[in-house]
Amino acid sequence: MGRSQETFSKKENAKKRQQKKREKEQRREEKRQAAASNKGKSLDDMLAYVDEYGNITTTPPDPKKLKPVSADEIMISTPKLEDIEDAGGMRTGRVAFYNESKGYGFINDGMTGERIFFHVNDLTEPIAEDDRIEFNIVKGQRGPQAADIKKIS
């Protein structure tokens, strides 16, 4: 008698394929049932609201707590450093980082909070990290750069 052409591993693989096919069909049927149950929902059931703290809820907000907002008050973006007008020319800030050996550093602008690059050639007197300073902003090779830097006592 001849040996069977079907080996044990072939039989196991065929069983696994059949099992996957049954599971896939079962998942598909569950999705169909879920979609059919959602068809009856109204628009009000599907709406979500945001409360005064920014949390998503299913209840509408209380009209007594609504605050009027003017469209002019809404800021879409933050103005860039070049767009801000200089009022008086000099700005104040703090030295955030200064490397004496390499001759450069960064200033945290007190008005905008931006970090501005400076070079040792732009210093009018010696400074150290965390000193309060006054400076002007000029356009450098890679963007805004501080110039005429003076220490504030």
Side-chain angles (χ1 to χ4, degrees), residues 5 23 46-47 54 68 73 75 110 124 129 139:
Q5 294 297 318
E23 289 172 359
M46 293 187 277
L47 283 178
E73 294 175 1
M75 292 193 67
T124 57
E129 277 190 33
K139 187 163 182 135

Side-chain angles (χ1 to χ4, degrees), residues 36-76:
S37 67
N38 285 340
K39 283 185 180 179
K41 287 189 176 180
S42 68
L43 180 63
D44 292 332
D45 293 338
M46 293 187 277
L47 283 178
Y49 302 96
V50 179
D51 65 3
E52 64 267 17
Y53 304 111
N55 300 322
I56 297 175
T57 64
T58 57
T59 58
D62 186 13
K64 297 174 187 171
K65 293 183 180 180
L66 291 178
K67 298 176 187 172
V69 177
S70 171
D72 298 332
E73 294 175 1
I74 299 172
M75 292 193 67
I76 296 175

Side-chain angles (χ1 to χ4, degrees), residues 109-122:
D109 189 354
M111 190 168 132
T112 62
E114 266 190 83
R115 290 189 83 172
I116 301 166
F117 174 82
F118 72 90
H119 193 267
V120 72
N121 294 343
D122 298 320

Side-chain angles (χ1 to χ4, degrees), residues 1 10 12-13 25 39 43-44 51 57 69 79-80 89 97 104 119 134 147 150 152:
M1 284 191 110
K10 286 182 182 178
E12 287 297 312
N13 288 340
E25 186 61 36
K39 283 185 180 179
L43 180 63
D44 292 332
D51 65 3
T57 64
V69 177
K80 291 188 178 180
F97 172 78
Y104 73 93
H119 193 267
E134 274 188 334
K150 298 177 209 157
I152 301 174

